[in-house]
Amino acid sequence: MISHRYRCIYVKVPKCASTTVRDWFIAYASGRHSFRPYWYHGTLAERMQALARALTLYPDYFTFSFVRNPYRRFESIYRNANRIAAHRAVRMPGHPDRLGTPHQYAQLVDELLDDSGTLWGPCATAWFRENTRRRYGPLGIPLYALGFTFTHARPQVDFLPDCNPDRLFGVKRPHPAPLDSIGTVETLDADFDRLRERIGLPSVPLFRSNATTDTPAAPVRCGPAARRLVEQLYAADLAFTGCSREDALPTPDVHAERTGEGLPGGGSPPSRTSPPAPVGLNTRLRRGRYAIGTLEMGLEDRLYRIAALRTRLGPLVRRVRGLT
């Protein structure tokens, strides 16, 4: 996400309040996805490559991101994946969780990350389409059950310039500078307030969007086996954030030398259930274009499963993309 009005770039880390931050910037700070038509937001793997190029073209822009306790982030990824599977009417007999237990899903993620490797951009999209029916995990979950969000399962450090000084999302970095600010989901409101003051953003509080965590009706209970596997999968995230197994929050000295603020701890994320302030027509139009893009991606996803239509519609889709 980039805002030329406020000369800042938001580096999105999936399942780290990214929808909340994105929607706020759309509504109040002229936020746009980096160098792609706004109504066609593309797959995550493709958008991130555009973001890496934006970091190169605008090295003087203020850059920021938010990270999360890796255990809680895994739980959010697990909930979101089940929601996508339910939307696609994926049902596994005998498994009411659809994608299995958290431990079984962690095993699926382990195989998926090992198989997808370091793919980003169009290569990642092509890999997904070529392997949509490949099965992962002890339950043999097909890849298409996860949708285009399969890249959500990547470690947080894969998305952070701080941890990728030479190449980010497959794009070479001529300016390997770290982010100017890193906050946490656990202290999102306080960190975002400091961010607003630092770069002069409008004084409008965040409003909650796409919340899939802290849902009493669908608690996620990760047992010892699941936690051990999560620790293996996200060892780099645990080291970077300073989190511990006991649901501890990041230690206060992470990045303290660079930002002067660090990553303070605290309790559970505060609720942001109050409605947002009224928005104007332009904001509504932007949100409408984004909704159209979401529908278009879902339709394209379904059409690409039909081999007979793929050959006929492929050139048309590429032509439409070229025209937009």
Side-chain angles (χ1 to χ4, degrees), residues 65-67 181-184 187 191 194 240-242 249-256 259 261-266:
S65 187
F66 294 91
V67 295
S181 175
I182 298 180
T184 69
T187 57
D191 290 344
R194 283 191 288 268
F240 184 79
T241 61
L249 301 179
T251 52
D253 60 340
V254 179
H255 298 286
T259 65
E261 299 172 356
L263 299 179

Side-chain angles (χ1 to χ4, degrees), residues 123-139:
C123 293
T125 302
W127 176 86
F128 174 82
R129 288 172 173 160
E130 292 171 0
N131 295 277
T132 52
R133 299 198 176 274
R134 183 171 295 184
R135 296 180 177 272
Y136 293 91
L139 300 182

Side-chain angles (χ1 to χ4, degrees), residues 42 69 76 88 100 138 143 172 229 232 234 236 239 250 261 272 318:
N69 183 306
S76 181
R88 293 166 179 264
L143 181 59
K172 187 177 180 180
L229 188 49
Q232 295 175 20
Y234 302 114
E261 299 172 356
R272 291 176 297 279
R318 289 191 292 271

